[in-house]
Amino acid sequence: MSKIVITIHDADTCEALHLDYIYRMRFISDTDLILNADGSVYHLNLLPGDIADTIILVGDPERVPQVSRHFDTIDLKKGKREFITHTGVMRGKRLSVVSTGIGTDNIDIVLNELDALVNIDLDTRMVKGELNQLNLIRIGTSGAVQADIPIDSLLVSSAAIGLDSLMHYYKRETSAADEELLAAFSKSLNGSGSVLPYFAAGSRELISILGNGFKQGITITAPGFYAPQGRSVRVASAVPQFFEVINQFEYKGQRITNLEMETAGIYGMAAVLGHRAISFNVILANRATNVFSRTPAETMERFIGEVLDRVVEYT
């Protein structure tokens, strides 16, 4: 292990940094990070070197070849369960595309294991001394909650409010401004004890570079598709007027624009792990007008190409 010398005159700061350094350089046990017999990470079935530093995240495993067919070459295809990975080169840029499946529970698995591939020495099981930062770019489907957001459009999540529990299990820091917005949103839910939201922002740099020109807004990440997104089929929702709350919520000029099931987890995990993330939402439904796209496959294909063009050119 290389020796790092830090000279700081403030004792409290020095102690905090020392403890953080020890934590980051610690040994990772066999049960904290499980590896397969070939040394690959347990769920993704990937080895270091199998992934690029720019990764397209999609929910549907069948969308992986939709993305990779835009590559000039595909050098690797691996999969296990719902986690499919293709890595290749597009116009000289090495890219990976990984399917996450549905929900933030899978995001927890995918982002931790992607991070392990670049920031943990899997032979020694020690955290590396220097952070390797990934660009994580989600391309997923979503439903708009505002009538003025057209279907068959592309929307960028500036930030997300998670209604799932994932980020409550991780130590993290949020700004005072973010906490104020979250408090206002929680109040709008009329104190529903069944929902404990969290707030996570995307990478300002990636949003500025890759999201320029697209409509942006706050995304709601739900822990399910039906009642957690305000749908009622045969059972009444425990959070009455849920859709009306998110449709009408406004805080200092910011509003909620759409619903989906992964973005808050991606943004939250990327932040705590030190990576950059952006979420592109292909709007196939408008919940305010009850209209669904008549050409979902064509819309997705068009925006996959457009996002990849930007990724190759600007990252």
Side-chain angles (χ1 to χ4, degrees):
M1 185 188 303
S2 60
K3 184 178 181 180
I4 299 178
V5 178
I6 303 175
T7 302
I8 299 177
H9 297 292
D10 181 88
D12 291 336
T13 302
C14 184
E15 181 180 3
L17 286 173
H18 176 66
L19 291 174
D20 179 62
Y21 176 71
I22 290 174
Y23 179 78
R24 287 186 292 108
M25 296 300 291
R26 78 193 194 286
F27 176 82
I28 309 297
S29 77
D30 289 356
T31 53
D32 281 332
L33 178 64
I34 302 171
L35 302 180
N36 297 312
D38 64 354
S40 61
V41 290
Y42 185 62
H43 297 90
L44 299 186
N45 197 33
L46 297 174
L47 293 162
D50 284 348
I51 58 169
D53 60 8
T54 295
I55 300 173
I56 310 299
L57 299 175
V58 297
D60 186 352
E62 294 185 2
R63 197 169 295 140
V64 172
Q66 280 187 270
V67 174
S68 67
R69 70 183 175 212
H70 292 264
F71 297 175
D72 300 316
T73 61
I74 301 174
D75 308 315
L76 174 137
K77 292 183 178 181
K78 284 188 176 181
K80 185 178 179 182
R81 305 186 186 187
E82 64 265 56
F83 308 115
I84 307 299
T85 299
H86 290 183
T87 295
V89 176
M90 180 177 176
R91 299 177 209 156
K93 174 75 174 179
R94 190 168 187 248
L95 299 171
S96 293
V97 53
V98 179
S99 62
T100 66
I102 297 175
T104 58
D105 50 348
N106 278 5
I107 295 302
D108 179 59
I109 291 170
V110 172
L111 264 66
N112 270 298
E113 293 191 4
L114 289 176
D115 178 77
L117 290 170
V118 297
N119 285 313
I120 296 174
D121 185 321
L122 300 186
D123 293 324
T124 65
R125 290 184 163 275
M126 297 294 294
V127 179
K128 296 178 181 179
E130 183 176 345
L131 174 71
N132 293 296
Q133 189 176 59
L134 298 171
N135 294 317
L136 303 168
I137 300 159
R138 173 188 179 268
I139 305 176
T141 59
S142 185
V145 301
Q146 304 294 341
D148 64 340
I149 298 175
I151 59 170
D152 300 319
S153 65
L154 192 64
L155 183 143
V156 173
S157 302
S158 57
I161 296 174
L163 306 184
D164 61 295
S165 62
L166 175 61
M167 295 315 300
H168 295 306
Y169 288 90
Y170 289 92
K171 289 186 176 180
R172 55 195 296 263
E173 295 181 1
T174 55
S175 69
D178 292 347
E179 289 296 331
E180 289 176 5
L181 185 150
L182 188 61
F185 176 74
S186 297
K187 184 178 180 180
S188 72
L189 292 174
N190 295 319
S192 174
S194 60
V195 180
L196 297 174
Y198 62 87
F199 184 89
S203 163
R204 291 183 180 179
E205 185 175 2
L206 285 186
I207 291 172
S208 173
I209 295 171
L210 300 180
N212 183 41
F214 291 119
K215 187 182 292 290
Q216 297 181 19
I218 298 174
T219 295
I220 291 288
T221 294
F225 186 76
Y226 289 96
Q229 293 190 31
R231 292 182 171 95
S232 178
V233 182
R234 262 193 354 102
V235 181
S237 172
V239 187
Q241 308 303 313
F242 172 77
F243 182 80
E244 288 77 5
V245 168
I246 62 173
N247 172 263
Q248 297 169 17
F249 178 77
E250 189 274 337
Y251 181 78
K252 294 185 177 179
Q254 300 181 77
R255 65 175 183 166
I256 294 167
T257 50
N258 62 305
L259 280 161
E260 51 75 79
M261 294 179 64
E262 291 87 32
T263 296
I266 293 171
Y267 281 3
M269 291 299 300
V272 297
L273 291 168
H275 303 299
R276 303 191 304 175
I278 181 173
S279 178
F280 288 96
N281 303 272
V282 179
I283 303 298
L284 296 183
N286 189 300
R287 297 287 302 282
T289 60
N290 290 318
V291 176
F292 190 84
S293 172
R294 294 185 177 181
T295 58
E298 293 85 349
T299 297
M300 175 58 73
E301 177 62 27
R302 174 162 56 94
F303 285 126
I304 285 174
E306 189 165 341
V307 170
L308 286 176
D309 285 342
R310 292 192 176 206
V311 169
V312 169
E313 183 173 358
Y314 296 115
T315 64

